[in-house]
Amino acid sequence: MGRKVLFFGDVGIDDTVALIYAYLSNDIDVIGIVACYGNVSKKQTTRNVRYLLEKIGRTDIPVMGGAEKPMTGEVPVFYPDVHGPQGLGPISPPPANALALENFFEVIGIIEKYSDLVIVNVGRMTSLATLFLLYPDTMKSINSFYIMGGAFNVPGNVTPSAEANFYADPVAANIVMRYAENVFLYPLNVTQNAIVTPGMVNYINRKDRTHLLKPLLDYYYEEFYKKKVPGIEGAPVHDALTLMGVREGKMCEFYRTAVAVEISGEARGLSIGDFRKTFDPHDFDGRPIHSVAISLDYLSFYKSFMGTMSGDEF
């Protein structure tokens, strides 16, 4: 079995692609999923997670209900134009799977059970931040964190300056960046380059054991990215790239810097890092130093994604 991963997500299309990658990989063992609001509501995320686990025959993986709204106290905004009305593009999970979960603190038992646990967070950071506020000593036992969030020195995807996960709950994002240790952060400026083309999707589909990837990624590309980003050759799998980092550490180049998040105002959700090479990166408000991905070796991504998803050698 592979590295033990506790997965936090607002399971839409690219979260599902990430979990399928983990399922097909021998190097990643998802031992729990925290279902949170984000792309869709917490209730819908729970339904989507249960549907996926049934499809891949892994209903043994525990599912825990995470946050329903951000720490800002605002009513969350969902984005049906991106992931579809139920978060899985053209797929509608059965209503019978829409079970609300109020068992979030079962997460602590999982954390205490595994000595080398990795947390992958690819959605809003509200649930993860809650753990740092309530169980700071317990969270020190986590081996590492792989987080999708932020946009450094590039435009955001929700506002001109902010990426969706940082923008939706900047308070939580700032808490995680302030207290988490050994973070590998995958920002929008890198994840947007993890493109899966229609040709790649068609190749995988011929051997797809889940029969989910093609409808999901075709929808993601045709109904959103092709319309919103003219000229783009496929759909970027932001969350899959982040989870792939658990086994493919050399796929990205990283820059070491502390990270802060703007909480309010016109620059809400802005990712702040110190990229001045003449300055000591440790001199940044006493914050821990994180590994921020700044470039992607696309060939390495292609080989890992295609090889794992299809089962062929690349």
Side-chain angles (χ1 to χ4, degrees), residues 220-232 234:
Y220 208 26
Y221 177 53
E222 295 290 341
E223 299 300 323
F224 180 70
Y225 275 104
K226 194 174 182 179
K227 297 176 181 178
K228 293 293 185 180
V229 187
I232 195 169

Side-chain angles (χ1 to χ4, degrees), residues 138-150:
T138 300
M139 295 304 287
K140 291 177 182 177
S141 69
I142 303 298
N143 177 280
S144 52
F145 299 84
Y146 289 76
I147 296 174
M148 192 279 132

Side-chain angles (χ1 to χ4, degrees), residues 156-310:
N157 60 355
V158 174
T159 71
S161 60
E163 176 274 331
N165 288 335
F166 274 25
Y167 180 84
D169 193 346
V171 174
N174 206 40
I175 288 170
V176 173
M177 293 299 106
R178 177 66 182 84
Y179 293 108
E181 299 279 356
N182 201 23
V183 169
F184 294 86
L185 183 64
Y186 289 76
L188 183 66
N189 38 295
V190 171
T191 63
Q192 67 185 356
N193 297 319
I195 299 290
V196 178
T197 67
M200 293 166 66
V201 172
N202 289 335
Y203 184 95
I204 293 169
N205 187 56
R206 292 196 287 268
K207 301 186 177 185
D208 184 7
R209 285 178 276 170
T210 67
H211 305 293
L212 290 173
L213 284 172
K214 183 170 174 58
L216 290 174
L217 289 175
D218 281 355
Y219 182 96
Y220 208 26
Y221 177 53
E222 295 290 341
E223 299 300 323
F224 180 70
Y225 275 104
K226 194 174 182 179
K227 297 176 181 178
K228 293 293 185 180
V229 187
I232 195 169
E233 296 182 355
V237 286
H238 308 275
D239 299 343
L241 178 67
T242 304
L243 185 137
M244 290 168 70
V246 175
R247 65 177 287 200
E248 304 288 355
K250 296 182 179 180
M251 191 169 52
C252 290
E253 178 186 0
F254 293 90
Y255 186 86
R256 299 277 291 165
T257 178
V259 175
V261 182
E262 186 63 42
I263 299 298
S264 62
E266 294 297 323
R268 168 181 168 149
L270 176 68
S271 317
I272 304 169
D274 192 346
F275 293 89
R276 301 173 296 174
K277 297 184 183 298
T278 57
F279 285 72
D280 183 354
H282 291 274
D283 187 17
F284 193 90
D285 191 31
R287 289 171 175 260
I289 305 302
H290 302 315
S291 296
V292 179
I294 57 173
S295 66
L296 170 67
D297 180 346
Y298 184 80
L299 181 59
S300 295
F301 162 77
Y302 176 88
K303 289 180 176 179
S304 180
F305 188 86
M306 292 297 291
T308 299
M309 294 303 201
S310 72

